[in-house]
Amino acid sequence: NNIKIDNVIDIDEKRYEFILDNSDMSAIKKIAEILKVSDNEIPQEVIQARSQMSIRAVSIFDYRSRDLSNKRSVEMFLKIIKEGIESGEFYTIYPEETAEMVVSFMQSIYERITEEPSLKKVNNEVDYFIFILSKSLKIEESEIEEIRNLLKKQLVDVFKIF
């Protein structure tokens, strides 16, 4: 039962359109809302693709799906960062690089916690990510506290850490 990964990513992205298109929502709130939606109402096609990826841990399917997903995630975060710059919420002269860093850093957090799943590791990784993100966008860490809390909760849930 083969899945066309481009189609799956398109289906998955549709869950975020209402957030990205909401002009009344701040850039920081959009990031928080995307994190919330990413855990809820996952389309069946996405669940099936994730299942296939777990079976074929190192495959061209896995590589291609991650590559496509990363590119699209970078585009999504880039859009939010540019909106934040336009609204005066963020400041960076490196919006593309910052979007790439966000996606790359979030993946590496997941991988590092996989190696050492503990509450201490989750807290350290997420706190460092928030520190780097706040410096990259010239915002106070307190402004993205909701994002910190959401990431910690999601990672604790995913890795079943108590």
Side-chain angles (χ1 to χ4, degrees):
N1 200 359
N2 202 6
I3 298 173
K4 292 195 89 165
I5 195 61
D6 298 68
N7 297 342
V8 173
I9 294 172
D10 287 341
I11 290 166
D12 196 35
E13 282 182 337
K14 291 207 182 309
R15 296 188 298 154
Y16 306 111
E17 282 179 356
F18 76 97
I19 296 168
L20 294 171
D21 295 341
N22 187 338
S23 59
D24 295 329
M25 195 180 289
S26 73
I28 291 171
K29 188 67 176 168
K30 285 182 180 184
I31 294 170
E33 291 301 312
I34 284 170
L35 288 173
K36 289 177 190 174
V37 169
S38 69
D39 267 0
N40 299 316
E41 301 174 22
I42 302 170
Q44 189 58 41
E45 295 88 348
V46 174
I47 293 168
Q48 188 177 356
R50 287 178 182 173
S51 172
Q52 283 190 16
M53 284 172 57
S54 69
I55 293 167
R56 309 181 217 176
V58 181
S59 68
I60 193 68
F61 178 87
D62 182 57
Y63 173 78
R64 177 81 175 123
S65 63
R66 287 179 197 271
D67 186 48
L68 272 173
S69 180
N70 288 347
K71 285 179 182 170
R72 294 198 180 170
S73 295
V74 167
E75 291 168 9
M76 184 172 59
F77 280 105
L78 179 58
K79 179 179 179 182
I80 293 171
I81 289 168
K82 285 181 174 179
E83 286 176 13
I85 292 168
E86 287 173 20
S87 71
E89 199 173 352
F90 300 151
Y91 174 78
T92 181
I93 57 173
Y94 302 107
E96 292 87 1
E97 293 81 358
T98 302
E100 289 171 4
M101 183 270 307
V102 166
V103 172
S104 176
F105 209 117
M106 290 179 83
Q107 276 186 327
S108 68
I109 287 173
Y110 189 87
E111 290 167 7
R112 286 193 300 273
I113 293 171
T114 299
E115 294 169 9
E116 184 190 326
S118 70
L119 189 55
K120 180 181 180 191
K121 187 72 170 175
V122 167
N123 287 331
N124 288 345
E125 293 292 336
V126 173
D127 289 345
Y128 183 63
F129 172 70
I130 293 298
F131 171 78
I132 296 297
L133 186 61
S134 70
K135 299 302 179 208
S136 299
L137 297 174
K138 306 278 190 282
I139 54 177
E140 295 296 321
E141 286 185 47
S142 60
E143 295 178 74
I144 51 178
E145 192 64 25
E146 182 181 13
I147 294 168
R148 177 194 318 263
N149 294 335
L150 284 166
L151 284 172
K152 285 182 179 182
K153 182 188 179 315
Q154 287 177 350
L155 289 166
V156 164
D157 291 350
V158 164
F159 290 100
K160 295 172 180 39
I161 300 169
F162 301 102

